[in-house]
Amino acid sequence: MTDLRADPFDALAAEAATCTRCGLAAGRTNVVFGVGNRQARLVFVGEGPGRDEDLQGEPFVGRSGKLLDRLMAEELGMDRTQCYVCNTVMCRPPNNRDPRPDEMAACRPYLDQKLALIRPAVIVTLGNVATRALLATNEGIRRLRGRAYPFGDAQLVPTYHPAAALRSGGEVVAEMRADLVRAKRLLAGRR
Ligand code: URA
């Protein structure tokens, strides 16, 4: 039998599958590690699993995910096999509340290791929670979006969470599209 642990990404996923580093472990159905291409040049980071994601063990499978997939296809010409999609925390916060700082801190080494193994050129953060966590700021997404930020060897492009776009409609969707076009330019080596 193949030893899955020989691959560092598989080893990390195996470790995450039994993680009890924070209280969210007690309420989860599945650890939502992430999905997509481990050699991707683009990684999306969301907030945390909702009900559908917890049940299916995959990020962004609900309504927000459908919008994300559509914008990904329309603005980047990509699907999930060409990028990687994960979250700031891997277990569902109760009643879809925001993950707490201690929960994000407990999960952060997993996110950092995923990013270190994938080594993307561009990271798109979806919404306030992911953007604030990775940029270590309290500033809101409205102010943060519209430019790219250096993040290690990558460029970080903040955009709205697709759930916010679903709530707010046209203008927010248009701004998300513009942010994805920025990500595409950066992937092509242009500013
Ligand atoms: N919202 C998120 O932030 N992540 C998911 O995986 C699903 C919804």
Side-chain angles (χ1 to χ4, degrees):
M1 210 168 77
T2 317
D3 181 11
L4 289 178
R5 280 142 222 253
D7 178 284
F9 210 87
D10 289 332
L12 189 64
E15 188 186 334
T18 57
C19 180
T20 53
R21 289 186 198 177
C22 82
L24 295 180
R28 74 175 176 233
T29 312
N30 285 295
V31 171
V32 181
F33 187 76
V35 71
N37 188 327
R38 300 166 181 195
Q39 268 116 43
R41 297 184 64 241
L42 173 64
V43 173
F44 288 93
V45 182
E47 181 177 318
R51 182 172 160 275
D52 295 329
E53 291 77 20
D54 174 62
L55 291 174
Q56 294 183 43
E58 191 171 319
F60 286 101
V61 292
R63 283 186 70 219
S64 291
K66 302 278 175 290
L67 178 59
L68 180 62
D69 286 345
R70 183 151 68 83
L71 296 180
M72 206 189 277
E74 290 177 2
E75 300 304 334
L76 296 160
M78 271 188 195
D79 63 25
R80 290 179 185 215
T81 65
Q82 294 161 294
C83 58
Y84 195 82
V85 183
C86 59
N87 280 305
T88 312
V89 295
M90 299 185 292
C91 298
R92 183 192 182 197
N95 305 314
N96 298 333
R97 67 160 167 75
D98 285 357
R100 293 195 314 242
D102 60 309
E103 294 157 352
M104 288 195 282
C107 219
R108 182 62 184 261
Y110 289 109
L111 178 59
D112 286 342
Q113 284 177 64
K114 265 172 240 179
L115 294 174
L117 289 167
I118 298 172
R119 295 197 297 121
V122 178
I123 298 166
V124 174
T125 49
L126 300 165
N128 272 320
V129 169
T131 306
R132 286 176 173 157
L134 291 192
L135 291 182
T137 174
N138 288 321
E139 195 58 84
I141 190 65
R142 257 181 202 290
R143 278 176 166 270
L144 291 168
R145 66 157 294 280
R147 54 163 287 199
Y149 300 78
F151 185 86
D153 292 334
Q155 293 289 315
L156 188 151
V157 177
T159 194
Y160 294 101
H161 193 285
L166 287 171
R167 275 195 308 273
S168 312
E171 202 172 309
V172 169
V173 174
E175 287 179 326
M176 274 189 91
R177 287 186 187 278
D179 295 334
L180 295 185
V181 169
R182 180 182 305 279
K184 188 175 184 178
R185 276 206 309 271
L186 289 167
L187 285 168
R190 287 178 279 131
R191 295 267 137 193

